[in-house]
């Protein structure tokens, strides 16, 4: 959903040489659409993996959750994390690719170039959006205590100070960076192979 949305936005409204603002806007819009649509699956996954909820089977999960609203808990912080991440990532990715000399864009080198640009963009975007990830996770795991973004921010700061917003940053940066770099490298190859650019 995300890559289809990005491709549509770039093809319909973008230029051949996207500006940083275009990249941010397209990344934010595409991720907001995909994130809001897929959030119930993310909530179920987060709660199931956490062990905080006694989910023995996915059959009765809808009844165990707060039904519809429970499936969308953490929507605002999820979009606050994912939409800026995607916009910032896409901006850094496109700008990093522009810095590579055109002579290096040979077929043999394009995959490592795309992957390297993806790594750089992923590290920067993950680090910038880490606090939103902490807030989102708290709201999805403990919705009774962290029921709004301002309350979640206040409680995290009260419990752990500024460092509380960066708990788990290293694993997240590694995971998000590698996933994003790999996904964008594959996306670029598929687009090139299908001659859609």
């Amino acid at each position: 959903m995300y890559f289809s949305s990005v491709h549509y936005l770039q093809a319909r409204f973008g230029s051949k040489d996207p500006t940083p603002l275009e990249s941010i806007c397209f990344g934010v819009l595409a991720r907001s659409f995909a994130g809001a649509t897929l959030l119930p699956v993310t909530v179920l996954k987060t709660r199931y993996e956490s062990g905080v909820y006694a989910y023995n089977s996915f059959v009765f999960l809808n009844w165990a959750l707060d039904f519809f609203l429970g499936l969308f808990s953490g929507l605002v912080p999820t979009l606050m994390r994912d939409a800026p991440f995607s916009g910032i990532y896409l901006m850094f990715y496109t700008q990093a690719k522009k810095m590579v000399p055109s002579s290096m864009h040979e077929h043999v080198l394009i995959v490592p170039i795309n992957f390297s640009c993806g790594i750089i963009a992923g590290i920067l975007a993950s680090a910038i959006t880490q606090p939103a990830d902490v807030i989102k996770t708290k709201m999805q795991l403990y919705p009774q205590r962290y029921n709004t973004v301002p309350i979640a921010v206040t409680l995290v700061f009260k419990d752990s100070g500024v460092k509380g917003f960066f708990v788990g940053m290293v694993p997240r940066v590694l995971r998000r960076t590698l996933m994003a770099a790999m996904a964008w490298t594959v996306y670029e190859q598929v687009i090139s192979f299908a001659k859609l650019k």
Side-chain angles (χ1 to χ4, degrees):
M1 290 177 75
Y2 169 69
F3 285 111
S4 295
S5 299
V6 166
H7 186 78
Y8 173 79
L9 290 167
Q10 287 178 332
R12 180 78 189 235
F13 305 107
S15 59
K16 288 189 176 188
D17 185 21
T19 66
L21 184 59
E22 274 182 338
S23 297
I24 289 173
C25 290
F26 295 159
V28 165
L29 289 171
R31 181 57 67 194
S32 295
F33 172 70
T37 305
L38 297 174
L39 185 66
V41 176
T42 303
V43 171
L44 293 176
K45 178 193 87 65
T46 301
R47 291 184 176 183
Y48 187 79
E49 289 176 347
S50 73
V52 173
Y53 294 78
Y55 294 156
N56 297 323
S57 166
F58 276 106
V59 176
F60 298 105
L61 284 181
N62 285 341
W63 299 105
L65 295 171
D66 306 322
F67 193 60
F68 184 76
L69 292 178
L71 290 174
F72 286 91
S73 64
L75 175 63
V76 171
T78 296
L79 293 181
M80 283 173 48
R81 177 202 64 182
D82 289 351
F85 173 86
S86 294
I88 293 166
Y89 182 93
L90 188 55
M91 179 201 60
F92 282 131
Y93 181 74
T94 56
Q95 295 307 305
K97 284 182 62 176
K98 287 180 186 180
M99 297 170 101
V100 176
S102 57
S103 61
M104 295 182 68
H105 284 255
E106 301 168 11
H107 182 68
V108 176
L109 296 176
I110 197 67
V111 171
I113 287 171
N114 289 341
F115 192 77
S116 299
C117 291
I119 292 288
I120 292 165
I123 290 170
L124 295 171
S126 295
I128 291 168
T129 58
Q130 177 63 22
D133 184 63
V134 170
I135 297 303
K136 184 254 344 166
T137 302
K138 296 281 190 190
M139 289 183 75
Q140 287 181 341
L141 292 179
Y142 311 104
Q144 293 78 21
R145 183 168 190 227
Y146 301 91
N147 51 9
T148 67
V149 173
I151 289 172
V153 169
T154 303
L155 289 174
V156 169
F157 185 75
K158 182 180 171 186
D159 293 345
S160 308
V162 174
K163 70 178 181 180
F165 294 102
F166 295 93
V167 170
M169 184 166 134
V170 172
R172 179 174 179 260
V173 167
L174 288 172
R175 181 177 141 293
R176 288 295 297 259
T177 297
L178 291 173
M179 283 176 36
M182 190 179 314
W184 273 95
T185 302
V186 170
Y187 169 76
E188 294 276 9
Q189 289 302 107
V190 168
I191 292 298
S192 176
F193 180 75
K195 300 190 184 335
L196 292 174
K197 258 191 176 168

